[in-house]
Amino acid sequence: MLEPGWITDRQIEASRVAMTRFVKRGGKIWIRVFPDKPVTKKPAETVWQGQGRSRSLGRGSAAGKILFEMEGVTVVDATEAMRLASHKLPLRTTLVKRDTAH
């Protein structure tokens, strides 16, 4: 991720599905984020003065965090799969490649 923001569990799942459909079981995918921030919602019929109507179900994430990892596919396939996944997310993302030379 290049910026801080909120990611829902549905967005994470949509990204995962887009990647796995593109690679067609050709590689392994790890999801490095988990939607674990609890967000309470007020009852629909309750009006709290001055609290607004925001009912976001987002999950907090910090900029610079790695969202997904892939293994067992070519760089070209991984780039395209990550590009498809990034279209499902509301944040700007970039592809980071691991240096394989140790």
Side-chain angles (χ1 to χ4, degrees):
M1 287 191 322
L2 295 176
E3 58 190 7
W6 297 85
I7 299 176
T8 65
D9 52 345
R10 290 176 184 233
Q11 291 164 340
I12 294 170
E13 179 63 12
S15 298
R16 185 196 66 79
V17 168
M19 286 190 297
T20 54
R21 282 191 179 165
F22 182 78
V23 297
K24 299 182 180 80
R25 300 179 192 259
K28 183 120 174 91
I29 297 173
W30 289 275
I31 300 173
R32 298 278 306 268
V33 292
F34 189 78
D36 58 354
K37 182 172 191 278
V39 177
T40 16
K41 288 180 17 178
K42 60 186 172 187
E45 62 275 355
T46 304
V47 177
W48 294 342
Q49 295 295 325
Q51 296 299 317
R53 293 288 299 167
S54 176
R55 296 186 341 175
S56 171
L57 283 177
R59 312 299 187 224
S61 298
K65 188 166 182 110
I66 294 178
L67 302 175
F68 304 102
E69 282 189 40
M70 293 184 79
E71 176 182 82
V73 294
T74 65
V75 174
V76 175
D77 286 345
T79 303
E80 180 61 17
M82 294 288 187
R83 186 188 70 79
L84 292 172
S86 72
H87 289 300
K88 310 294 182 188
L89 300 172
L91 307 166
R92 292 188 311 128
T93 59
T94 187
L95 181 68
V96 179
K97 290 188 263 184
R98 181 181 291 171
D99 186 19
T100 57
H102 290 13

